[in-house]
Each structure stands twice: as C-alpha cells, then as structure tokens.
Amino acid sequence: MMNVSRPRSARRAELLAAGAATVTVVLWASAFVSIRSAGAAYSPGALALGRLAAGVLVLGAICLWRREGVPPRSAWRGIMVSGVLWFGFYMVALNWGEQQVDAGTAALVVNVGPILIALLGARLLGDSVPPRLLAGMAVSFAGAVTVGLSMSGEGGSSVLGVVLCLLAAMAYAAGVVAQKPALGTGSPLQVTTYGCLVGAVVCLPFAGQLVREAAEAPVSATLNMVYLGVFPTALAFTTWAYALTRTTASRMGATTYAVPALVVLMSWLALGEVPGPLTLLGGALCLAGVAVSRAGTGTRTESGAAGPAGTVPAPPGPEEYPPGPEGYREGTHGVREAPDAREARPDRASGSM
C-alpha cells in the first residue's frame, strides 16, 4: 500500500510546487506594469522601502495568525544574505537601473540572473545542471534577448544603467542560492517574512524620501506601490520559497524566463501596447525554453520509479529494510529505522553556504 500512496503524494507535491511557481512568475510579471506607474512618482530607494514595508505588514500578520514563530538559528545566515542582497539591494538597483536604460535593455541584462543561479547553484549547492536544463535556458535567454531588442528602439541606455541592472541580476542570483539552504530548516513563510524584514531595514535610509514623496504622489502611484508589496512581494516570494523547497535553484531560475513573455502579454492587455512580430517571437522562445528545461526531469526513487522533478524521494518505511536485528535500531516515536537513517536526521539543509 505504501508503494501506491507515495507516488500519489509525490504527484500532489509536484502539482502544488508547479502551481506555486506559476503564481510567482505571473505576479512578478505584473510587477513590471505597476513599477512603471509607481516609479514615475517615487525614487528608487523610496519605492523599494514602501514596497517592502507593505510586504512586511502583510507577512507579519500572516505569521502571527499562523503562529509561525522565529526561524531556527541555522536558517538565519541564508535569511540575512538573501534579505540584504535580494530583498534590499536588488530592488533598489533594479528600480534605479530602469530609470537609466530602456525597458528592453533592462530586461536583457537582468535575464543573466537565471544563468548565474545555475552556475552558483552547481558550485555552492551541488545542483545538477543536466543538458536539457542548459538547452532550455539557452533557448529562453535567446527569447529574452529577442524581446529586449524588440523593445529597445526608442529608449536610451547608459553605462550606469547597464551596470545597475547587471548588479541587480548578480544580487538576485546570490540571494536565491543563499535562500535555498535556509529553507531546509525554516518554513517558506518564515524565510520570506524575515528576509523581507531584513530588506526593509536595509532600505530604512530612504525613509525620509518615502515620506516626502508619498505626500505629493498621486493615489494611483501609491496604490501601485502597495500592490507591489502585497502581491509580487508578500505572496509571490512566499510561493517562490515554497516551490524552491521542492526543486533545485537552477530549475526555479529557469522557470522565471517565462516572465518576459507574460510581461509582453500583460502590457498588451492592460496598457494596449500591441507587441510586434519580433516581440511575439521572443516571448514564444522564452516559454519554449521553460518547457524544455522542465520536461523529462524525473528523479529515481529507491524503488527505481521516476519521481517528480527536483523532489527528494521519501525514505523507505521500516518494513522495506531487510529483516534482522542488525539492520534496525530504535528511532524516534518508537519507529524502527536503519542505522544510516540516524546519520541523515540531524541536518535537513543541503549545501550549506
């Protein structure tokens, strides 16, 4: 019976992780439309602080309601690094960079991020980078370049803007890789909430600007800033963390290549910006690359059957170990387990940084 129930639970976990990743990329794509409105009234640092403050309030309320508590000590290193780099520095640098370069150039440079995630994940976390994942990322990056070139006709670019977008991509990649081990001991909600809080603290020097600009900003810009904090930050970063616990950092990074295609579609529907043939081609390539990178990614379970992408097979039950007193020991809650099990029990995190 256990052999039947495990594939079902694994399949359910795979579907939940895929749904969480989908929510993340849709909300992150919607952020670009809101940033365009809010960024016209708020400076980069003030916009980042306002967004993070809204996110902290929502996440904090949910944590209190769920009685999540403080993350364990072992998770704090990853939370601090991802909070400073991803929640804090990344948002300020990206907001600033998008004011210096056109949208196409910004999208092109920032999409170096998933490639950096794959490289850092392989080096620091031991993530496998199979040929199919590399091929999918290459196709998606070609699509992102195509979208960027198609959108770069009217805007200007500066060296400062390109450098800022590149720094944002590097901070994003480092933050994702740092967050992965923290999710081994802290819950997705804990890691996201306290990472957002760390980012807000980093952005506190912009508090004066936020107060002054909020007094003069139109209501629509302020509402967009609040939306950025509640949905693309509080909700999307939590669903991202949930999905990241169930797959590798490299594969999650590749999934975000769907964002440029969704931005094109949302700009078409919400802003009436009809995409040209080159933009549509680039969006199609982005989605095709994501499909390639996510296909055929089953792992092998102990029984030899293919499991869902990026999931860790459940440990075998006591009845699956060979009989005999030498093969068992008394575990927690009265469960008999193999000697090897006690070696893996204390540390749930993999690939510490």
Side-chain angles (χ1 to χ4, degrees):
M1 179 175 292
M2 292 187 68
N3 290 336
V4 175
S5 61
R6 278 187 188 144
R8 288 179 179 175
S9 62
R11 178 61 177 169
R12 180 174 179 272
E14 181 184 17
L15 291 175
L16 288 174
T22 301
V23 170
T24 298
V25 296
V26 170
L27 290 178
W28 282 355
S30 73
F32 285 89
V33 179
S34 295
I35 287 174
R36 185 175 303 180
S37 171
Y42 288 96
S43 58
L47 178 57
L49 177 58
R51 174 179 177 175
L52 290 168
V56 167
L57 290 176
V58 173
L59 290 167
I62 296 174
C63 279
L64 290 175
W65 176 61
R66 290 178 56 88
R67 298 180 180 179
E68 280 284 324
V70 179
R73 182 181 301 178
S74 57
W76 272 102
R77 182 180 182 183
I79 290 173
M80 292 294 293
V81 174
S82 64
V84 172
L85 294 181
W86 193 8
F87 287 88
F89 181 84
Y90 166 81
M91 291 192 183
V92 176
L94 183 62
N95 292 342
W96 190 5
E98 287 190 348
Q99 293 182 358
Q100 304 293 321
V101 300
D102 55 80
T105 302
L108 191 158
V109 177
V110 171
N111 272 291
V112 173
I115 297 175
L116 297 177
I117 291 174
L119 296 176
L120 289 174
R123 177 67 180 87
L124 300 176
L125 301 179
D127 287 352
S128 62
V129 187
R132 186 181 292 272
L133 176 59
L134 291 175
M137 293 180 69
V139 173
S140 290
F141 185 70
V145 171
T146 303
V147 171
L149 293 176
S150 68
M151 296 171 62
S152 300
E154 298 180 0
S157 298
S158 71
V159 174
L160 175 61
V162 171
V163 170
L164 286 169
C165 290
L166 183 59
L167 290 175
M170 295 170 65
Y172 157 55
V176 169
V177 174
Q179 189 187 62
K180 175 66 174 177
L183 291 166
T185 53
S187 71
L189 183 56
Q190 287 176 327
V191 172
T192 303
T193 300
Y194 286 88
C196 190
L197 178 61
V198 170
V201 172
V202 170
C203 293
L204 278 179
F206 303 106
Q209 293 181 10
L210 176 60
V211 172
R212 291 192 300 271
E213 293 170 4
E216 302 176 357
V219 175
S220 60
T222 301
L223 289 177
N224 273 292
M225 181 175 65
V226 173
Y227 170 83
L228 288 169
V230 174
F231 293 99
T233 301
L235 178 56
F237 274 79
T238 302
T239 53
W240 163 277
Y242 175 86
L244 186 59
T245 61
R246 288 155 176 80
T247 188
T248 65
S250 305
R251 199 166 303 284
M252 278 300 292
T255 302
T256 62
Y257 271 124
V259 170
L262 293 175
V263 170
V264 171
L265 178 61
M266 290 180 180
S267 297
W268 188 359
L269 297 177
L271 303 177
E273 298 178 351
V274 180
L278 191 60
T279 304
L280 291 175
L281 174 62
L285 286 174
C286 287
L287 295 178
V290 172
V292 169
S293 67
R294 300 290 298 184
T297 56
T299 57
R300 306 299 294 181
T301 65
E302 279 81 349
S303 62
T311 57
V312 179
E319 72 276 15
E320 297 178 31
Y321 290 114
E326 70 280 1
Y328 295 97
R329 69 183 290 273
E330 194 69 15
T332 57
H333 309 295
V335 176
R336 300 169 75 199
E337 58 188 17
D340 290 341
R342 67 177 179 268
E343 300 298 331
R345 181 182 298 279
D347 186 12
R348 294 169 52 197
S350 59
S352 60
M353 291 184 61

